[in-house]
Amino acid sequence: MQNQITTPIVKGLIISLVLIFLSVTGQLLDFDTQSWYKWLSTLLLFGSIIASCIIYSNQNNHQVTFGNVFADGFKTTAIITCITLVFTVLFLLVMPEMKQRIFEAAATEAEKAGATDDMITTQQEMFKKMFWVFIIGGIMVTYVVIGAIASLIGAAVAKKSPIDPFQQPAQF
C-alpha cells in the first residue's frame, strides 16, 4: 500500500487558513499593533514550513533528497504567499478602516522613534502614495525569505535515505 502524499497546495491552504484566522482574530481583539503579535504569525509560518518539509519526507518513507524536500517546502511557501496576498488585498479593500489604522500605527511608531511633525507628515504622504506597493512587496519579500530559510532548515532536518540507483541489482 502506497502512502498518500499531501500536496504543497493542500499544506499551503491549511497553513494559510491558520494564518488568516490568526490575523482576523488579532484585528478583532486589537492585538494587531502589538509587537509580540506581529512575531507570532512569523514564527507560526516558519515552524509550519519546517513541519511541512518533515511531513513530506515521512510520507515518502524518507526516500527523498535534500532538493526534493526543499522544493516541496518552497512550493508550499509560494502557495501560502499567494493566498495570504489575495486575502490581505481583499481584506483592506473591504475594510478601509484597517488601512487608516495602519497609517495611525506608523505615525505612532515614528513619534516613538523621535520623528518631528514634518517628518511624520512626509512619511505619511509617501506611505499613502505607495501603500499597495509596500503591502504587496512587503508580504511577498517577507514570506518568500522566511519560507526559503524555513525550507532550507526543513530540508536539512528531515530524515533522508534516498535510493542509490547504482546499488540496485540490474534488472534485465
Side-chain angles (χ1 to χ4, degrees):
M1 184 171 166
Q2 191 168 357
N3 284 346
Q4 182 71 17
I5 308 299
T6 307
T7 65
I9 294 172
V10 172
K11 291 185 280 190
L13 184 62
I14 292 168
I15 295 167
S16 295
L17 290 175
V18 171
L19 290 171
I20 288 169
F21 175 77
L22 186 67
S23 174
V24 171
T25 303
Q27 298 289 335
L28 294 174
L29 299 176
D30 287 333
F31 287 152
D32 58 324
T33 57
Q34 304 284 329
S35 63
W36 65 268
Y37 187 77
K38 293 175 187 175
W39 285 104
L40 183 63
S41 63
T42 304
L43 291 173
L44 182 64
L45 174 66
F46 194 78
S48 61
I49 296 294
I50 293 172
S52 169
C53 292
I54 293 169
I55 290 168
Y56 175 76
S57 176
N58 291 342
Q59 288 178 341
N60 283 293
N61 297 320
H62 311 293
Q63 302 297 314
V64 292
T65 63
F66 181 90
N68 297 133
V69 179
F70 174 78
D72 185 77
F74 200 73
K75 288 175 193 174
T76 304
T77 298
I79 299 298
I80 295 167
T81 303
C82 291
I83 292 171
T84 305
L85 193 59
V86 168
F87 165 75
T88 303
V89 169
L90 291 176
F91 189 72
L92 289 171
L93 289 174
V94 171
M95 309 259 313
E97 63 270 8
M98 296 311 299
K99 189 174 173 180
Q100 187 59 37
R101 282 181 63 188
I102 293 171
F103 293 140
E104 291 169 5
T108 304
E109 289 297 318
E111 281 180 24
K112 286 181 186 176
T116 64
D117 288 338
D118 289 338
M119 292 169 66
I120 293 172
T121 304
T122 304
Q123 174 201 23
Q124 290 288 307
E125 288 172 6
M126 183 188 71
F127 192 42
K128 287 178 182 177
K129 274 190 226 174
M130 303 292 288
F131 179 75
W132 291 110
V133 173
F134 290 143
I135 293 296
I136 293 170
I139 290 171
M140 288 179 66
V141 169
T142 303
Y143 277 49
V144 168
V145 168
I146 290 170
I149 293 169
S151 295
L152 285 170
I153 293 170
V157 299
K159 186 175 177 183
K160 298 169 282 302
S161 54
I163 298 172
D164 186 0
F166 297 111
Q167 298 295 333
Q168 300 294 322
Q171 297 177 0
F172 294 103

